[in-house]
Amino acid sequence: MGTGEEPLHGEPKKFDPSFKGPIKNRSCTDVICCLVFIAAIIGYFIVGIVAWTYGDPRKVIYPTDSRGEFCGQIGSLNEHKPFLFYFNILKCASPLSLLKLQCPTTQICVKKCPESFESYLTAHRSREKWNKYIQYCKPGFNDSSKSPAEVLRDQDCPTFLTPSKPFVRRCFPALETNKGVIMINNQTNFNLADGGIVNATQLLEGAKGANRVLEAREVAMKIFEDYTKSWYWILIGLVIALVISLIFVVLLRYLATVMVWLSILLVIAALGYGIYHCYTEYASLKGVQGSDVTIKDLGLQTDLRVYLHLRQTWLAFMIILIIVEIIIILILIFLRKRIAIAIALIKEASRAIGYMMSSLLFPLVTFVLLLLCITYWAITAVYLSTSNEAVYKVFDNETTCNYTAKNCDPSTFSESVIKKQCPEAQCSFAFYGGETYYHRYLTLFQFYNLFLFFWLVNFVIALGEVTLAGAFASYYWAFNKPADMPTFPVMASMGRALRYHVGSLAFGSLLLAIVQIIRVLLEYIDQKVKGAQNKFAKFLLSCLKCCFWCLEKFLKFLNRNAYIMIAIYGNNFCTSAKNAFFLLMRNIIRVVVLDKVTDFLLFLGKLLIVGGVGILGFFFFTNRITILEDKAPTLNYYWLPLLTLIIGSYLVAHGFFGVYAMCVDTLFLCFLEDLERNDGSTERPYFMSKKLLKVLKKENE
């Protein structure tokens, strides 16, 4: 290294007698990004207002006819017509139904679904049959004014009816299978009056096309039913997780060493029991009929209990648990000497949290803000997706009509100028969408909605991190603890963040949001080209997905440490990120063997709480707790409430342990700076506590 050349990872921090913790005299940082962020939020509200103006979430639940009116809606013309009838369900099997998520055929609301097969031409010759048939024609249709050919040309009535049954308020052919042959009313083919033939298989394909979305909706209804039966039990489980987490955190304050080693031993014991249980289940299924079927042959099943009857399932569980057990034991063996220092850091974090107990409640603020972001995004997404409306176009077989493919209104078309100039023209349903500027850019609005959702969520998380970092840094750099600490450290830190550093937090969260939206686009492209045989394209996509996953993880790590530096020094994002990164690189050995060991120990604590609540929930929802056997609800998919409970328990535990993790990370960075700034002399004493000095074998003169 030449003279005057800056070291690779920057100059170590130098002693500054005036430095006493988070700097109070600071200025606004990253102002341009702050203004862009505010403008983006204003734009987000405008998109939401426009979406709420055009959208109608009732379309998600209730069927709508081709005029956009809801079937069975109280107070409307269709109040007594709860079912949706498709004029030509065969068109639902076309690719257009996938592109538009609608069947490209006329749809009307009816009182009941057809019960027998009938064609228009045969029904028109019989008054008795016609009185039944006419209810499936367009509302207000008058058969006396048109010939049968004109009626079918103008699509005023369906060409034929098939015996149907209502499913989720839609009329679908009443299909049944007899010895592998698809039938309707014991018939496979139906003869039309014009000489054409429609077979049951064609109707099945049409029903499948119309039913793609509805199958998912049926599963959703069952899931909703399960949640209505089990929500209070899930709530009780989350309260149990909350109480256990709180007790665990309080005990860490006074018995850090005991609690850490107890967590380690209990996790190892729980994994050991899991291995034993998997082996006993695997052995008990030996020779049982059907237990040797592979998971691949079984395929995807909505009822996960089916997989528990397979030997391969328990073998896979056992192998996974053995690998996890071995990894944890090896980590503990190789890092046993560093665990003592990590425990000392956790003890120090416990003292810091003990002096500012309000920090444990701060995750509730973050949770509420995140809930607001998720709610706004979900509602806006629903309103955007239901903004499409029925679009009608002029169709005419004559090439001389100048109005062909123009928009029209079916309610007034018969008396319009178009009808007078083009007598053969008809106003028919074209597609669901819209031709305003709003409808043209609907996909862009959905993309903007998702991008702003990522940006806001990352901003809220960043605000929480910088607030806690400022509070815990004020504890570390107080030489006489707690006398030199500010009165309300958490509130003071949050005030500084909102007053001076909104731009820096927005900048860091923007970088993360860009990477996350790119990952979403890559997943979307991957789904689109899944059927392609181009191996190079698949390989390239896999590499890109892996690279951006790694980039996201790195950015999260860098942002977190940059926010700590922002909380302490008040610099802009780039300067803070650079200083944090260089500080960690100058102490890379300590980062790997100390900070990460502490994270691992806290993770074991979370794993213990989540695992305990998860096992308790599993035994309850599968009726294996004798005392509560009568109170357990009967569910379609017990694993969904259980999964909700596990995820919820993890979030609850993460809320408490996240405070600890942020405290440890902040104290760790302060600890590294303390070692660089000071040497323990009278002029430059260490700011760390006496117990931490003792563990590190250092002392102040």
Side-chain angles (χ1 to χ4, degrees), residues 594-604 606 661 664-665:
L594 183 55
D595 190 42
K596 294 307 161 191
V597 172
T598 310
D599 290 343
F600 175 69
L601 295 178
L602 292 175
F603 171 74
L604 290 182
K606 282 192 283 189
V664 167
D665 287 347

Side-chain angles (χ1 to χ4, degrees), residues 368-409:
V368 170
L369 292 175
L370 287 175
L371 195 62
L372 287 174
C373 293
I374 293 169
T375 304
Y376 185 86
W377 165 77
I379 292 173
T380 305
V382 169
Y383 273 89
L384 284 171
S385 62
T386 56
S387 295
N388 291 329
E389 54 191 22
V391 176
Y392 289 84
K393 297 281 186 180
V394 176
F395 290 91
D396 188 23
N397 295 327
E398 300 293 333
T399 57
T400 55
C401 183
N402 296 324
Y403 295 99
T404 303
K406 299 289 184 182
N407 287 4
C408 58
D409 185 354

